[in-house]
Amino acid sequence: METSEIKARMNSGEIYYENAEILAEQAQYRDLLFQFNHTLPSKTQERQEILQALLGSFEEGSYIEAPFSANWGKNTYFGKHVYANSHLTLVDDTKITIGDSVMMGPNVTLCTGTHPLEASLRQKGAQYNLPVTIEKGAWLGAGVTVLPGVTIGENSVIGAHSLVTQDIPANVVACGNPCRVIRPLPKEE
């Protein structure tokens, strides 16, 4: 399969298999990630420049605490004033969108990549991806994992160590394994 077709499949939800060209491109982004994780915290400007080269977008006022890991980096888009605590993991084999003013506690994982249930396909390295969206103002507590294809609605709060397997609407508190809506957020006065 041609690399251009593999890249199209990576963003379509269809099964694909990586090739040497894809893996070589990915290695370039992983080098940037390594560079970020090994840059002194006091080198704020240098760290920002690395993140701007690594990520699809990294807007004004956003911050990621090292260490951090990503499959690519380039497929993740940070809005303005996003805060990600240490050990953020991005399985960004397709698009992850993080809206303005999102907060993420330590050890948050956002996964777009997954594998088919059929063992023979997995043994050949088959994968498919579904995008993840975290809307403006959401807060993901420590240890939250968001699975492929999930959208978390604007301003919603996801409790620590929740496993988010389906969409969460806007303006709610949700938690658990699997994550479920507990109640609406109180109206601001």
Side-chain angles (χ1 to χ4, degrees), residues 141-171:
V144 166
T145 299
V146 179
L147 295 185
V150 168
T151 295
I152 294 177
E154 189 171 328
N155 300 321
S156 285
V157 176
I158 308 299
H161 296 285
S162 293
L163 176 63
V164 188
T165 60
Q166 60 188 2
D167 291 352
I168 301 296
N171 301 305

Side-chain angles (χ1 to χ4, degrees), residues 85-129:
N85 209 320
S86 63
H87 297 93
L88 173 64
T89 299
L90 304 172
V91 183
D92 65 336
D93 295 302
T94 195
K95 191 173 189 178
I96 295 175
T97 304
I98 302 169
D100 295 345
S101 302
V102 166
M103 295 176 64
M104 292 178 277
N107 299 303
V108 166
T109 301
L110 306 177
C111 293
T112 67
T114 190
H115 303 279
L117 295 177
E118 189 177 325
S120 63
L121 292 175
R122 287 195 316 275
Q123 291 164 4
K124 295 176 190 172
Q127 180 172 325
Y128 66 97
N129 310 313

